[in-house]
Amino acid sequence: MVEHLVNAIRNVDGFPKDGIVFKDITPILADAELFRAAIDLLCATAGGVKVDKIAGIDARGFIFAAAMADRLGAGFVPVRKKGKLPWKCKEAAYALEYGEAAVEIHEDAVLPGEKILLVDDLLATGGTAAAAVELLSGLGAEIVAISFLIELSFLNGREKLGAHPVRSILNF
Ligand code: AMP
């Protein structure tokens, strides 16, 4: 199944700018069997631990995190790009593989001590996920694991994610 998932990813050269090979996962999302397999594999990265909430990173992380939350009987928490959340927020800035940005989380999205699984579609340089970790840790969450469908290992992103277990399904 992993091979089918790899084959379905579309590599788009030069998007959103020169030098980036964008991993387009929309062919996986559009295929019922592949989408379900991706969610199955991501759910397994929880390692059987009962988590309170799945935190998903804006925007493709939401797609997987929300489905996983339903499957695992957990709540869903959005880590959003700056300026999108309506309530009181905590903010963390980060450098992206292609630019700079900041993410935000609602102050009351996570309670101290809650077990959280953090999810995104892809780990590149690790800046985005590290900012999400900063936000969740700042609210007192216990991050059980950080899970990605795709890891670009050559960018060493996991080095930015400290001692938290980092689990990815497809490695490039
Ligand atoms: P980074 O902070 O460098 O780890 O970048 C990770 C975030 O940017 C994720 O939310 C990805 O969706 C997106 N991203 C970065 N590089 C790529 C890429 N080559 N293909 C698809 N998405 C990417």
Side-chain angles (χ1 to χ4, degrees), residues 95-168:
L96 198 63
E97 192 185 2
Y98 42 77
E100 273 190 9
V103 282
E104 290 183 329
I105 193 169
H106 276 156
E107 281 179 3
D108 58 359
V110 170
L111 302 174
E114 279 190 320
K115 286 186 170 32
I116 304 291
L117 184 66
L118 176 60
V119 174
D120 202 0
D121 67 324
L122 183 144
L123 173 63
T125 65
T128 317
V133 166
E134 185 186 325
L135 292 175
L136 291 165
S137 301
L139 294 178
E142 183 194 324
I143 298 170
V144 169
I146 311 172
S147 305
F148 303 91
L149 182 64
I150 300 168
E151 177 176 1
L152 305 182
S153 319
F154 59 92
L155 292 172
N156 301 316
R158 58 173 64 219
E159 285 175 8
K160 286 209 186 78
L161 302 178
H164 303 288
V166 176
R167 296 173 185 146
S168 57

Side-chain angles (χ1 to χ4, degrees), residues 50 58 64 93 122 132 138 149:
K50 174 88 180 120
D58 199 347
F64 297 104
L122 183 144
L149 182 64

